[in-house]
C-alpha cells in the first residue's frame, strides 16, 4: 500500500502544533468536556511538544475586546518569547500572520486544537487541508458549547479530510520508541497518572 496522509506517521521533522483561541472567555462556555480535563490536555500537549522540539503556533481572537487572554495554565507553559498572534478573523487561516507563522515552521503536518471545536478548530483545519497541509484535529484538547456542535464539527472535518486524533496518541506516535532518552520527559509532560503508576510499580519490582 502506498503512503498517503492517512498512513504517513507524525514525526519530529514533519509536525507542528497550532493552538487556536484557548481563551478565558471561551473556556467559560465549554460544556462537552470537563474544563479541568480540557486544560490538562492542552497543557500536556504544549509541554510534550516542546520536549520533542515541535514548533508551536498560538493565536487568539479579539483578546482585548471579546474573549480575553490565553488561559493562565497554558500561558504558563508556553516558550519564553513566543508571540501569541491576536487577530480579528473568525477563521485563523484568514490572518496572514498566522499562516505565515505556520509556513515558517516548515512542517507539513499540523496538530490543531481550538475552542470552539466546530469553528476555531474546524475552520483553520479545513482551510489548511485545502492548501495541501495534513491537519490533525486534537479532539480531547478542544471543546465547544454543546454536544450537537461537537458532533457536526467532527463530521464536517471528516468530510473535508481532516484527521481526528487525541493529543497523547499523536505525541507518542512522534516519540516512536520508549527507549528514546526523551521518553520519560514526554510521559511526564503528558501527565497520565496511570503511566506514572506503571513506572513506579516497575521500578519497585525486584531485579533479576
Amino acid at each position: 500500500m502506498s503512503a498517503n496522509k492517512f498512513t504517513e506517521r507524525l514525526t519530529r521533522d514533519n509536525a507542528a502544533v497550532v493552538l487556536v483561541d484557548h481563551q478565558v472567555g471561551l473556556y467559560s462556555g465549554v460544556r462537552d468536556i470537563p474544563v479541568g480535563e480540557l486544560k490538562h490536555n492542552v497543557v500536556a500537549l504544549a509541554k510534550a511538544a516542546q520536549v520533542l522540539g515541535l514548533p508551536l503556533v498560538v493565536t487568539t481572537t479579539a483578546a482585548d475586546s471579546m474573549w480575553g487572554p490565553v488561559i493562565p495554565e497554558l500561558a504558563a507553559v508556553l516558550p519564553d518569547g513566543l508571540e501569541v498572534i491576536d487577530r480579528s478573523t473568525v477563521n485563523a487561516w484568514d490572518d496572514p500572520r498566522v499562516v505565515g507563522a505556520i509556513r515558517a515552521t516548515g512542517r507539513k503536518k499540523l496538530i490543531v486544537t481550538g475552542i470552539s471545536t466546530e469553528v476555531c478548530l474546524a475552520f483553520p483545519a479545513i482551510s489548511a487541508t485545502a492548501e495541501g497541509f495534513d491537519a490533525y484535529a486534537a479532539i480531547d484538547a478542544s471543546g465547544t458549547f454543546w454536544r450537537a456542535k461537537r458532533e457536526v464539527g467532527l463530521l464536517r472535518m471528516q468530510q473535508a479530510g481532516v484527521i481526528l486524533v487525541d493529543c497523547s496518541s499523536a505525541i507518542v506516535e512522534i516519540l516512536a520508541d520508549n527507549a528514546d532518552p526523551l521518553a520519560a520527559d514526554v510521559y511526564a509532560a503528558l501527565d497520565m497518572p496511570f503511566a506514572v503508576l506503571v513506572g513506579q510499580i516497575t521500578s519497585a519490582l525486584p531485579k533479576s
Side-chain angles (χ1 to χ4, degrees):
M1 181 176 64
S2 60
N4 57 57
K5 74 175 185 178
F6 298 105
T7 59
E8 289 173 349
R9 296 186 183 186
L10 291 161
T11 72
R12 286 168 233 205
D13 297 321
N14 67 18
V17 174
V18 182
L19 306 177
V20 183
D21 299 353
H22 288 272
Q23 296 168 256
V24 171
L26 291 168
Y27 268 66
S28 69
V30 169
R31 297 293 183 270
D32 67 320
I33 181 174
V35 170
E37 182 178 335
L38 173 59
K39 289 180 176 181
H40 171 277
N41 293 343
V42 72
V43 167
L45 175 60
K47 290 171 65 177
Q50 292 173 75
V51 173
L52 292 168
L54 307 182
L56 291 175
V57 176
V58 183
T59 180
T60 56
T61 304
D64 293 331
S65 61
M66 187 174 292
W67 299 123
V70 171
I71 58 168
E73 295 88 347
L74 177 58
V77 303
L78 294 178
D80 292 339
L82 178 71
E83 178 190 5
V84 176
I85 302 170
D86 191 55
R87 59 182 211 284
S88 62
T89 61
V90 171
N91 185 344
W93 202 262
D94 289 341
D95 190 302
R97 297 169 300 159
V98 174
V99 177
I102 290 170
R103 292 192 184 280
T105 69
R107 309 302 174 89
K108 176 186 177 184
K109 295 183 179 290
L110 308 177
I111 302 168
V112 188
T113 78
I115 312 298
S116 63
T117 300
E118 77 290 350
V119 174
C120 304
L121 166 57
F123 289 2
I126 291 168
S127 295
T129 300
E131 295 201 21
F133 290 85
D134 300 338
Y136 292 70
I139 301 305
D140 61 338
S142 304
T144 190
F145 314 127
W146 54 85
R147 186 165 299 277
K149 294 174 75 63
R150 173 189 176 91
E151 292 171 354
V152 297
L154 298 182
L155 287 170
R156 187 174 182 190
M157 284 189 283
Q158 287 185 302
Q159 289 167 342
V162 176
I163 301 165
L164 306 186
V165 295
D166 68 272
C167 56
S168 61
S169 295
I171 288 295
V172 297
E173 182 175 337
I174 294 167
L175 174 64
D177 190 339
N178 287 311
D180 191 296
L182 294 176
D185 291 336
V186 168
Y187 284 109
L190 290 175
D191 188 27
M192 297 184 291
F194 61 88
V196 174
L197 176 60
V198 170
Q200 291 170 340
I201 293 171
T202 302
S203 65
L205 292 174
K207 302 298 187 287
S208 57

